[in-house]
């Protein structure tokens, strides 16, 4: 009987917690990865030397670090690099910039009107696609083409913000990260989106599903609802009905319950219990044999006594 908006609201209230416990650092979900320093993710080689972890390619070089927030100056420099342009500052040349009142007007909109405006322009916020390429293109041609395509995508988002007065939530601004996504999708057969089961729609990207379907051959998407152990059975049934009605392939998952360390601990407890039970069984069998011998001896004595009385 619980509606999807109520489930999402309940999920938002609990998503500040990690496995049911408050985060000691107070960081929102995902911010721990953004704040993490590259030097802290290192592994040991067989000879004991440090080496960068290869689990996440964004940790290998600063140029591949995830960037979701930039200052105005960094934004300007980034756009200039993508456009392959240079510029020089002009001193003593004041320029008046009219920002307009679109943002202020949007802030005055009530909840339903603002949501209607967001839904109207939702189609403008898409995952950037890799431009068409051929095997005979040089690396320089590929680089220039991808930079130009990514720059156009960034500009379209900026234009959408300017025209509507809406603010776009932080998104990935590093082209190198998107390049990794493009190439991984091309080499994959199935796309798995791992989302928080407490509020899956907050993370679920419908356009990424469409991107996979538009590729040749098409890539099917599976939605993995992680932290399912934190959801009551009623909530899991409601989300299962929601995704089934929309023909979305999904499965519930709990990394905590699938932790091999925890599984080994449980197996160890079961093994110890089995050994103890087996020992108790053997002791019981031994006692039963002893009791049986005593009974047999008593019966034999009884028979012997009876024979003496007969004599």
């Amino acid at each position: 009987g619980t509606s999807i908006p109520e489930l999402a609201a309940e999920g938002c209230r609990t998503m500040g917690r990690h496995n049911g416990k408050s985060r000691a650092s107070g960081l929102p979900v995902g911010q721990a990865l953004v704040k993490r320093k590259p030097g802290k993710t290192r592994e040991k080689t067989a000879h004991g030397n440090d080496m960068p972890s290869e689990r996440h390619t964004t940790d290998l070089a600063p140029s591949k670090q995830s960037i979701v927030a930039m200052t105005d100056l960094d934004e300007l420099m980034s756009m200039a690099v993508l456009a392959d342009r240079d510029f020089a500052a002009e001193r003593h040349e004041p320029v008046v910039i009219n920002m307009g009142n679109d943002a202020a007007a949007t802030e005055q909109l009530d909840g339903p009107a603002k949501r209607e405006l967001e839904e109207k322009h939702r189609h403008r916020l898409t995952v950037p696609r890799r431009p068409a390429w051929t095997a005979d293109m040089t690396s320089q041609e590929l680089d220039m083409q991808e930079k130009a395509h990514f720059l156009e995508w960034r500009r379209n988002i900026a234009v959408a913000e300017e025209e509507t007065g809406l603010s776009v939530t932080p998104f990935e601004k590093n082209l190198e990260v998107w390049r990794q996504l493009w190439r991984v999708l091309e080499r994959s057969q199935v796309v798995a989106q791992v989302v928080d089961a407490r509020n899956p729609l907050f993370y679920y990207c419908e356009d990424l599903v469409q991107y996979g379907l538009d590729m040749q051959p098409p890539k099917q998407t599976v939605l993995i609802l992680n932290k399912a152990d934190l959801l009551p059975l009623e909530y899991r049934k409601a989300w299962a009905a929601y995704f089934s009605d929309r023909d979305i392939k999904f499965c519930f998952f709990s990394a905590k319950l699938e932790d091999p360390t925890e599984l080994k601990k449980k197996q160890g407890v079961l093994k110890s219990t089995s050994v103890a039970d087996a020992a108790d069984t053997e002791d019981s069998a031994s006692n039963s044999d002893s009791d049986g011998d005593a009974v047999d001896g008593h019966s034999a004595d009884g028979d012997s006594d009876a024979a003496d009385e007969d004599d």
Side-chain angles (χ1 to χ4, degrees), residues 209-223:
V209 177
Q210 188 60 48
Y211 186 11
L213 294 176
D214 293 340
M215 302 183 74
Q216 294 298 328
K219 320 289 183 179
Q220 297 295 326
T221 297
V222 177
L223 186 63

Side-chain angles (χ1 to χ4, degrees), residues 142-252:
L142 283 173
D143 181 68
M144 292 179 60
Q145 180 176 270
E146 291 176 354
K147 283 183 176 179
H149 187 79
F150 185 69
L151 178 62
E152 185 64 24
W153 177 74
R154 293 279 305 274
R155 284 174 174 168
N156 289 336
I157 294 178
V159 170
E161 286 185 308
E162 183 179 354
E163 292 179 353
T164 63
L166 297 171
S167 297
V168 178
T169 55
F171 60 93
E172 183 58 61
K173 298 179 175 65
N174 190 350
L175 173 59
E176 296 301 323
V177 176
W178 290 111
R179 280 172 166 166
Q180 294 175 60
L181 175 64
W182 295 338
R183 285 152 177 80
V184 168
L185 285 177
E186 291 174 354
R187 290 166 171 78
S188 301
Q189 295 177 327
V190 177
V191 180
Q193 289 194 43
V194 184
V195 300
D196 194 316
R198 292 169 291 183
N199 191 2
L201 299 183
F202 185 79
Y203 300 96
Y204 179 55
C205 181
E206 295 181 5
D207 193 59
L208 182 59
V209 177
Q210 188 60 48
Y211 186 11
L213 294 176
D214 293 340
M215 302 183 74
Q216 294 298 328
K219 320 289 183 179
Q220 297 295 326
T221 297
V222 177
L223 186 63
I224 301 178
L225 304 169
N226 193 24
K227 299 185 180 179
D229 58 302
L230 301 180
L231 284 182
L233 178 59
E234 177 188 358
Y235 286 22
R236 292 200 297 270
K237 288 183 177 179
W239 281 119
Y242 176 85
F243 291 119
S244 297
D245 292 343
R246 288 156 180 79
D247 197 24
I248 298 176
K249 298 179 177 63
F250 70 95
C251 66
F252 289 100

Side-chain angles (χ1 to χ4, degrees), residues 272-284:
S272 301
T273 304
S274 300
V275 171
D277 292 341
D280 293 341
T281 303
E282 291 178 359
D283 292 340
S284 300

Side-chain angles (χ1 to χ4, degrees), residues 10 94 120 199 278 285:
E10 178 64 22
K120 180 180 178 181
N199 191 2

Side-chain angles (χ1 to χ4, degrees), residues 259-305:
D259 185 0
T261 305
E262 295 294 331
L263 184 60
K264 288 180 181 178
K265 289 181 180 178
K266 293 180 181 178
Q267 290 177 345
V269 172
L270 293 175
K271 184 176 181 181
S272 301
T273 304
S274 300
V275 171
D277 292 341
D280 293 341
T281 303
E282 291 178 359
D283 292 340
S284 300
S286 299
N287 293 334
S288 299
D289 293 340
S290 300
D291 294 341
D293 293 340
V295 171
D296 293 340
H298 179 72
S299 300
D301 293 341
D303 294 340
S304 180
D305 293 342

Side-chain angles (χ1 to χ4, degrees), residues 106-124:
T106 305
E107 292 179 358
Q108 295 177 0
L109 293 176
D110 57 0
K114 188 174 182 179
R115 284 193 293 271
E116 182 180 354
L117 184 62
E118 291 174 346
E119 189 65 25
K120 180 180 178 181
H121 296 276
R122 181 181 179 182
H123 67 281
R124 305 175 73 172

